Amino acid sequence: MGELIVAQTGKRAIRFGICQRCLSTNVRTFICHHGTCSYCRNCLYLGRVCRCDFLQERDITTPLETTELTMPFELAPDQTRVANQLLTWWDGQKTGLVHAVCGAGKTEMTFPVIERVVNAGKRVLIVSPRKDVAIEWVERLERAFTVPVTGRYGGGEKDSIGMITVATAPLLMNIRDVFDYVLVDESDAFPFAFDIALWNTIRRVGKDVFLFITATPTVWQQMFPTVHLSRRYHGFDLPVPTLVKQSDERIVEFCRRHALKPRLLFVPTKPDLERYHETLEDAGLTCRTVSAETEERTDALHWLQETKGIVFATSIWERGMTVRDVRVAVVESEHRLFSTRGLIQMAGRAGRKPDAPTGEVCFFYKERTFRQDLAIRKIKEANRR
Amino acid sequence: MRCLLCHESMTVPWTPATLWRRDWVCPACESKLTPLGTGCPRCGQPNETGETCPDCIRWLALGLDLTVRCLYAYDEAGVDWLHRFKFSGDVVIASSVAPALRASRSSGVTYVPVPLSKERLQTRRFNQAEVLARCIGPTRQLLEKTEVSSQRELGKEGRRHRTNPFTVPTSVKCGKIILVDDVYTTGTTLHQAAFSLRQAGASEVSAICLFRALNKSKSRPI
């Protein structure tokens, strides 16, 4: 119960070649000041642990506070239904899954239950797969709640725990049994969505009450009690992707056709970014590229919104970003890196704002795959429900 | 196989070494560190003509003759690498420079790492010079160091006029000695250590250093 710190006494940090902080076996031998020793390479970012170190659990000392909630907008009837379901799950201490389509207002639906948990004197954790998404959570939570929101991600306050904590998964490795309610946002985007060992590492931060929120749950997550929400909060249908045979002319033509709208094109890999960037430059269109290595991602997002430009992105932008009235295309959609889930999320970038509820989504293909068909079928299914 | 430094997956060339080598570095990471070109024959300070630099002439005037072989320039990539190695404590990345270090190995030589003081060793947990020396060849710890303040904040003159912190507790019986250190900035450390070793009876002392701090660099003026 608390935060693990490196101390003089306590439990050995590395036992049997396994790091006791992150459960990794990526443990390497080196010459320590007393002789042969080993350290964990997997959690170096938390400060190195060596076999001659000991881990101790320190209690969390930040005070318990109560909060007031001001909803940013009135919840729609559908959203209220989901919010009430979350409250019943919390009262029964049950883990659940919210299966809501992209752009359904998933963030706001959780505010009532967060308020209830905090006012009961318990701590809430929101885990997000990426820093960008975490920052957006912090912004929205700070507008709604009076209690200070702690952001535990790279560049934020890395080692603090508040009543409401927003964190990325790696920085939670040294926390044990602190949070009474853990919301896992975009729960299928985590590496542990498919790896039970990694899931166990993240399970240790909470006290067994979880809430998974996603538009595209994995099979394993579907075993939890589920609440569905298949309407966006503005009530319009999800845009259904169209399949178009890929050629450079067609991509250029797509960009020309929507010249007055921001256009977002997804490509599978980083070398592809350069290649298609050059193709469009040759056609006389200016565009920017965004990948995991791009530092100024939020800057590019603003640029896309303001100048109605063209942005090539890797799957780094497939979740958690909103651009008003955007047109989406997926280039080389048959690539093996584009899963069904990824394609659904990318299609869900379009038409997220109530004043621009529609948008065109285009899957360019060189080959047809089952994944494309399945993505389109799932989107149509959600529209029918 | 994953790259040791960037953890990206990479294809490993098929050689007999593939079977026993554990740490592989991808070509992109390998080319990040810049090897030193032509420069001063004594300390590796880069210049076009390859003549002895003024700093080394001052050392020679003091009667301290020490040839230091430096491998890489201490530029931005070098700072990143060394920070990761020394302060973050990722010790195994030393094996990414081990082939370059090992290329300088010669027979009949004892490699002596520049020591840390006891207090510093307790906090850092390992001696970075010793890790590098063990990459090259047979190592003996002949020197001892008393605690002095960190050199990082000292200027050029402050560094030069330090008292010698190195002592040699035992008599030196090895013939050739090569000192090993991580960064050559002004050379005071290495020259003082060589001075102590020579006084204790070492016949031939030279040095090898992983990085050479560039005096002209604007990021970290010396």
Side-chain angles (χ1 to χ4, degrees), chain B:
Chain B
M1 202 49 96
R2 299 247 165 201
C3 169
L4 182 73
L5 294 172
C6 63
H7 305 295
E8 294 289 321
S9 60
M10 59 176 287
T11 45
V12 168
W14 172 246
T15 57
T18 314
L19 296 174
W20 51 263
R21 200 167 144 194
R22 185 175 181 185
D23 300 322
W24 294 85
V25 181
C26 67
C29 292
E30 218 161 45
S31 59
K32 265 183 190 161
L33 296 179
T34 41
L36 286 173
T38 55
C40 168
R42 267 184 93 258
C43 70
Q45 167 73 28
N47 51 26
E48 276 84 42
T49 49
E51 62 199 4
T52 311
C53 64
D55 276 338
C56 286
I57 291 169
R58 281 181 69 179
W59 284 118
L60 284 169
L62 287 169
L64 297 164
D65 188 12
L66 180 74
T67 310
V68 185
R69 210 183 139 202
C70 295
L71 296 178
Y72 297 108
Y74 194 52
D75 51 3
E76 211 158 283
V79 171
D80 285 349
W81 191 95
L82 196 78
H83 197 274
R84 193 171 161 190
F85 175 60
K86 211 161 133 181
F87 301 113
S88 308
D90 201 356
V91 184
V92 288
I93 66 169
S95 62
S96 70
V97 293
L101 282 170
R102 211 175 288 133
S104 68
R105 177 178 180 166
S106 46
S107 58
V109 172
T110 308
Y111 290 89
V112 178
V114 172
L116 292 179
S117 63
K118 232 177 201 153
E119 291 81 4
R120 181 58 57 81
L121 193 63
Q122 284 288 336
T123 50
R124 190 173 291 159
R125 292 298 180 81
F126 67 99
N127 182 352
Q128 73 278 0
E130 191 179 347
V131 173
L132 294 175
R134 274 168 195 266
C135 290
I136 311 176
T139 306
R140 261 185 80 187
Q141 186 56 272
L142 293 173
L143 292 161
E144 239 175 42
K145 190 184 186 185
T146 50
E147 175 59 31
V148 287
S149 60
S150 169
Q151 292 190 56
R152 288 175 80 186
E153 282 79 37
L154 286 181
K156 192 172 180 175
E157 289 309 307
R159 283 184 180 211
R160 268 176 182 273
H161 299 188
R162 262 183 346 146
T163 49
N164 192 345
F166 298 106
T167 49
V168 184
T170 54
S171 63
V172 181
K173 293 196 188 86
C174 359
K176 269 177 89 175
I177 282 175
I178 295 187
L179 282 161
V180 184
D181 200 6
D182 49 353
V183 192
Y184 182 100
T185 311
T186 55
T188 316
T189 316
L190 281 172
H191 281 98
Q192 283 173 342
F195 181 74
S196 303
L197 282 172
R198 283 212 182 93
Q199 283 212 321
S203 54
E204 221 181 315
V205 182
S206 63
I208 182 163
C209 215
L210 191 60
F211 290 108
R212 175 71 173 93
L214 306 177
N215 289 355
K216 299 275 157 40
S217 76
K218 288 178 183 68
S219 57
R220 281 194 63 203
I222 297 159

Side-chain angles (χ1 to χ4, degrees), chain A residues 121-157:
Chain A
K122 313 276 187 175
R123 293 180 202 274
V124 183
L125 171 71
I126 293 146
V127 201
S128 72
R130 269 202 297 278
K131 202 174 92 182
D132 313 18
V133 185
I135 292 168
E136 203 181 317
W137 265 99
V138 170
E139 279 172 8
R140 289 204 209 172
L141 286 168
E142 268 176 351
R143 258 178 264 140
F145 290 95
T146 50
V147 73
V149 179
T150 317
R152 194 182 171 99
Y153 42 79
E157 315 137 77

Side-chain angles (χ1 to χ4, degrees), chain A residues 33-280:
Chain A
H33 64 293
H34 57 79
T36 313
C37 197
S38 47
Y39 74 102
C40 173
R41 283 199 81 201
N42 197 40
C43 53
L44 271 177
Y45 53 85
L46 291 171
R48 196 175 67 153
V49 288
C50 190
R51 203 174 55 202
C52 45
D53 286 326
F54 295 91
L55 292 177
Q56 236 176 32
E57 284 191 13
R58 184 177 58 187
D59 288 342
I60 305 300
T61 49
T62 46
L64 298 172
E65 295 168 74
T66 53
T67 182
E68 279 163 31
L69 171 65
T70 43
M71 287 301 283
F73 55 83
E74 207 52 41
L75 288 180
D78 255 354
Q79 289 175 313
T80 322
R81 171 176 63 87
V82 177
N84 288 337
Q85 182 65 60
L86 299 190
L87 291 174
T88 25
W89 277 339
W90 164 247
D91 292 337
Q93 294 284 304
K94 266 202 237 143
T95 298
L97 163 71
V98 178
H99 182 180
V101 292
C102 316
K106 291 184 286 249
T107 316
E108 282 75 18
M109 286 186 307
T110 59
F111 285 178
V113 72
I114 291 175
E115 186 212 9
R116 185 177 290 190
V117 175
V118 170
N119 282 341
K122 313 276 187 175
R123 293 180 202 274
V124 183
L125 171 71
I126 293 146
V127 201
S128 72
R130 269 202 297 278
K131 202 174 92 182
D132 313 18
V133 185
I135 292 168
E136 203 181 317
W137 265 99
V138 170
E139 279 172 8
R140 289 204 209 172
L141 286 168
E142 268 176 351
R143 258 178 264 140
F145 290 95
T146 50
V147 73
V149 179
T150 317
R152 194 182 171 99
Y153 42 79
E157 315 137 77
K158 273 188 196 169
D159 44 5
S160 49
I161 290 166
M163 286 308 286
I164 304 176
T165 311
V166 183
T168 49
L171 288 166
L172 296 171
M173 288 298 183
N174 57 349
I175 297 177
R176 299 282 182 275
D177 307 328
V178 169
F179 298 102
D180 303 80
Y181 195 64
V182 181
L183 281 106
V184 188
D185 189 28
E186 307 284 7
S187 55
D188 61 308
F190 287 92
F192 57 73
F194 304 97
D195 189 338
I196 201 72
L198 280 168
W199 158 240
N200 279 335
T201 67
I202 214 71
R203 206 177 58 170
R204 298 181 298 174
V205 305
K207 291 183 181 164
D208 264 3
V209 184
F210 290 86
L211 181 70
F212 298 100
I213 310 170
T214 182
T216 48
T218 60
V219 174
W220 171 68
Q221 283 157 5
Q222 283 169 18
M223 86 182 188
F224 295 112
T226 311
V227 57
H228 290 279
L229 178 60
S230 45
R231 274 289 128 184
R232 291 187 156 179
Y233 67 93
H234 50 62
F236 283 83
D237 277 355
L238 293 160
V240 178
T242 49
L243 283 161
V244 180
K245 180 83 181 154
Q246 183 179 342
S247 66
D248 285 352
E249 295 84 56
R250 288 216 174 103
I251 294 172
V252 173
E253 194 263 334
F254 173 87
C255 295
R256 290 254 161 79
R257 185 146 40 96
H258 304 292
L260 297 173
K261 302 273 165 44
R263 284 140 291 173
L264 181 59
L265 288 89
F266 288 100
V267 293
T269 57
K270 253 176 254 162
D272 288 328
L273 280 178
E274 302 302 313
R275 214 174 67 228
Y276 289 105
H277 184 79
E278 271 170 31
T279 316
L280 280 204

